[in-house]
Amino acid sequence: MYALIDCNSFYASCEKLFRPDLKDKPVVVLSNNDGCVVARSPEAKLLGIKMGVPYFQVKDFCIKNNITVFSSNYALYADMSQRVMNTLETLCPTVEVYSIDEAFLYLADYPVALQDLSAYGHKLKAIVEMHTGIPVGVGIGTTKTMAKLANHAAKTYPATKGVCVLDNIRWIRRIMQITGVGELWGVGRRYKVRLNEIGIHTVYQLAICEPAKIRQHFGVVLERTCLELNGQSCLGIESIEPKKQIISSRSFSERITDQQALSESICAHVAKAASKLRKQDSVCAYITVFAKNSPFSKNEPYVFISGDYQFITLTADTRVMVTAARQVLKVIYREDVRYAKAGVMLLGICQHDEVQLDLFAEDKSDHNDNGQDESIKKRTEVIAIMDALNKKYGQNSHQQSAVFIASEGIKDKQSWEMSCNMLSPCYTTNINQLPKVH
């Protein structure tokens, strides 16, 4: 048996958590540069706000209907997500973090839960909400796909009270019959259209199909979905594997024409990517720097510039990587371009203990009796201290680390930063922005 815990309207719930005045009030959260709606509270959904709609199209509607609008506060969301996942790990020994607001639990490793699945589901929901303040839906089924279907039912039908267990044949059939096939995990818009064309409109109609025929027409992925709907588990709990490629990039709130501003942006992305690299205890062999103008600009040709740098010794040192990125940018930079987006990509990633030291290192005296390079050790210690300080003191109001490389720029507000005019405080990650009790 599997359980899927999914946070309800996660971004909006995080914003409302520290704003009691917004209880039962409509709230929406916007994407980068305050572009589109990416999260809606239940009250905002009832008012008809659609997911993904550009904000400028609904701005007047939001003002008229007293809808509170927030810029995305990723520091807050990441911290609250970690609190939810930490709570779940105390309630089940096997947890797979599926996304920032979802996690699978493998209940076979926790026999106590199997004694009363409904009671355990309600316990999960109550404890997570009590410990974190984030409302969740709980779905339990014999496979991951069934747990997903159960979670959809838990959120859709008020009678479930946020918890749905699909362990009864009649109940399973009923839920399948009233759920559109497009709501099923793994069935995207294109699959939905093709399934509808051959007369499959509900989950139940897909479940009673011959899996081999589904594979013949749609491929192995949808065949597995069909098998899972019939209780045959094809998708187990996945371990978290280190990423083999890390990308950090973002569009600018305004076009960049100054090389210094573009360089600061690139250096900031290097710092973020390097931090992710160290968190998974890895190092990289290559860094790619890229920038481009808008492909939708009518008055200028599309321009994409990029360049690579290969490190002699694999590294996760922000300072080494920033130096390399700046060298690449000097070579590829073009003055006649109004840049709309820039970023970096790390490749050739492996675990740090797989690295072979440079045989031709210039300073042989730095090697100790164990063959370790003391200069590398010192640099590693400096970066470790920076990471520890940033973990403790978080980010400032402009989403910049407490301790950072000067090449990222030292102004209070950078011209290349994304727009976030409605950003909420970092309530849980910045000591200067802690909630105040009056």
Side-chain angles (χ1 to χ4, degrees):
M1 297 295 289
Y2 294 85
L4 175 67
I5 290 76
D6 186 6
C7 301
N8 300 340
S9 305
F10 182 58
Y11 287 5
S13 294
C14 290
E15 298 292 356
K16 297 179 78 169
L17 181 60
F18 297 94
R19 289 283 302 275
D21 59 305
L22 295 179
K23 182 180 180 181
D24 300 326
K25 301 290 181 62
V27 167
V28 300
V29 180
L30 305 179
S31 62
N32 293 343
N33 292 315
D34 296 339
C36 303
V37 173
V38 293
R40 307 157 295 162
S41 69
E43 299 82 7
K45 293 177 184 179
L46 290 175
L47 289 174
I49 298 290
K50 302 296 184 182
M51 179 68 81
V53 63
Y55 176 55
F56 75 87
Q57 293 183 4
V58 295
K59 183 176 181 179
D60 292 339
F61 180 84
C62 291
I63 295 173
K64 182 179 179 181
N65 291 274
N66 295 317
I67 300 175
T68 304
V69 182
F70 290 98
S71 302
S72 291
N73 188 337
Y74 298 115
L76 174 64
Y77 309 151
D79 185 69
M80 293 308 304
S81 173
Q82 188 63 52
R83 295 181 186 213
V84 170
M85 303 310 166
N86 288 344
T87 301
L88 292 176
E89 288 173 353
T90 67
L91 300 170
C92 183
T94 308
V95 178
E96 175 193 336
V97 179
Y98 181 66
S99 68
I100 192 171
D101 62 345
E102 292 179 282
F104 283 103
L105 276 59
Y106 185 53
L107 303 185
D109 288 344
Y110 192 51
V112 174
L114 301 177
Q115 297 175 7
D116 190 336
L117 291 171
S118 180
Y120 180 69
H122 284 283
K123 177 182 177 180
L124 284 172
K125 178 177 173 64
I127 292 180
V128 170
E129 292 179 5
M130 179 177 65
H131 286 190
T132 68
I134 302 297
V136 299
V138 180
I140 299 177
T142 52
T143 66
K144 276 187 166 183
T145 301
M146 290 297 289
K148 270 277 193 178
L149 179 62
N151 189 276
H152 172 74
K155 290 190 170 185
T156 304
Y157 308 114
T160 63
K161 297 182 179 179
V163 177
C164 178
V165 180
L166 294 182
D167 61 350
N168 178 282
I169 295 297
R170 291 184 178 180
W171 183 231
I172 291 174
R173 178 177 295 183
R174 178 57 180 158
I175 292 296
M176 286 185 174
Q177 289 174 337
I178 62 177
T179 304
V181 71
E183 302 293 341
L184 193 61
W185 186 37
V187 177
R189 183 179 59 83
R190 293 183 180 179
Y191 271 172
K192 176 186 175 182
V193 172
R194 291 177 59 191
L195 288 168
N196 289 169
E197 288 175 349
I198 61 175
I200 299 176
H201 298 275
T202 67
V203 173
Y204 180 72
Q205 290 173 324
L206 177 61
I208 62 177
C209 288
E210 179 63 38
K213 291 184 178 180
I214 293 296
R215 178 171 184 168
Q216 181 181 354
H217 292 92
F218 296 93
V220 67
V221 174
L222 202 58
E223 179 196 25
R224 290 172 181 168
T225 299
C226 190
L227 290 170
E228 290 231 328
L229 289 173
N230 287 279
Q232 182 176 331
S233 182
C234 302
L235 305 169
I237 293 293
E238 298 180 2
S239 59
I240 301 176
E241 296 292 335
K243 293 181 179 180
K244 297 301 182 182
Q245 174 180 292
I246 294 176
I247 300 175
S248 178
S249 65
R250 186 161 290 167
S251 298
F252 304 133
S253 57
E254 57 187 53
R255 299 294 182 265
I256 295 296
T257 57
D258 178 59
Q259 183 176 2
Q260 179 61 28
L262 185 62
S263 176
E264 291 176 358
S265 170
I266 291 293
C267 292
H269 285 302
V270 171
K272 291 177 182 178
S275 177
K276 293 179 182 179
L277 191 67
R278 292 192 295 273
K279 284 181 179 178
Q280 65 176 36
D281 205 20
S282 299
V283 289
C284 73
Y286 302 90
I287 183 170
T288 297
V289 177
F290 61 88
K292 64 180 182 178
N293 64 355
S294 174
F296 306 106
S297 178
K298 297 179 180 179
N299 301 321
E300 52 190 7
Y302 177 62
V303 176
F304 180 90
I305 61 172
S306 68
D308 306 312
Y309 186 97
Q310 180 177 1
F311 300 106
I312 296 176
T313 301
L314 278 68
T315 184
D317 190 323
T318 299
R319 297 169 302 170
V320 174
M321 297 165 73
V322 161
T323 300
R326 294 180 70 188
Q327 290 179 17
V328 172
L329 183 60
K330 287 180 180 179
V331 174
I332 65 174
Y333 179 73
R334 285 180 51 177
E335 295 183 352
D336 57 337
V337 181
R338 298 171 64 248
Y339 295 97
K341 185 176 183 179
V344 299
M345 178 167 55
L346 308 184
L347 299 165
I349 295 175
C350 68
Q351 296 303 99
H352 85 284
D353 53 5
E354 300 173 7
V355 178
Q356 181 175 349
L357 295 177
D358 183 8
L359 180 63
F360 303 102
E362 294 182 6
D363 189 358
K364 301 299 182 183
S365 63
D366 270 345
H367 286 74
N368 61 17
D369 294 337
N370 297 321
Q372 295 176 318
D373 189 333
E374 288 295 340
S375 64
I376 293 178
K377 183 178 179 181
K378 291 176 181 178
R379 292 199 300 268
T380 302
E381 290 175 349
V382 170
I383 293 297
I385 292 172
M386 288 180 63
D387 287 341
L389 289 171
N390 287 327
K391 182 178 180 179
K392 182 176 182 179
Y393 295 105
Q395 297 175 320
N396 60 28
S397 59
H398 299 300
Q399 302 297 303
Q400 194 171 49
S401 300
V403 181
F404 55 91
I405 303 297
S407 300
E408 298 177 45
I410 56 177
K411 297 178 182 178
D412 290 336
K413 178 68 175 177
Q414 305 294 346
S415 60
W416 47 264
E417 287 184 350
M418 68 176 184
S419 296
C420 46
N421 297 321
M422 295 159 283
L423 185 68
S424 58
C426 296
Y427 297 106
T428 63
T429 57
N430 189 322
I431 195 169
N432 296 317
Q433 298 178 25
L434 294 175
K436 296 179 180 179
V437 179
H438 299 284

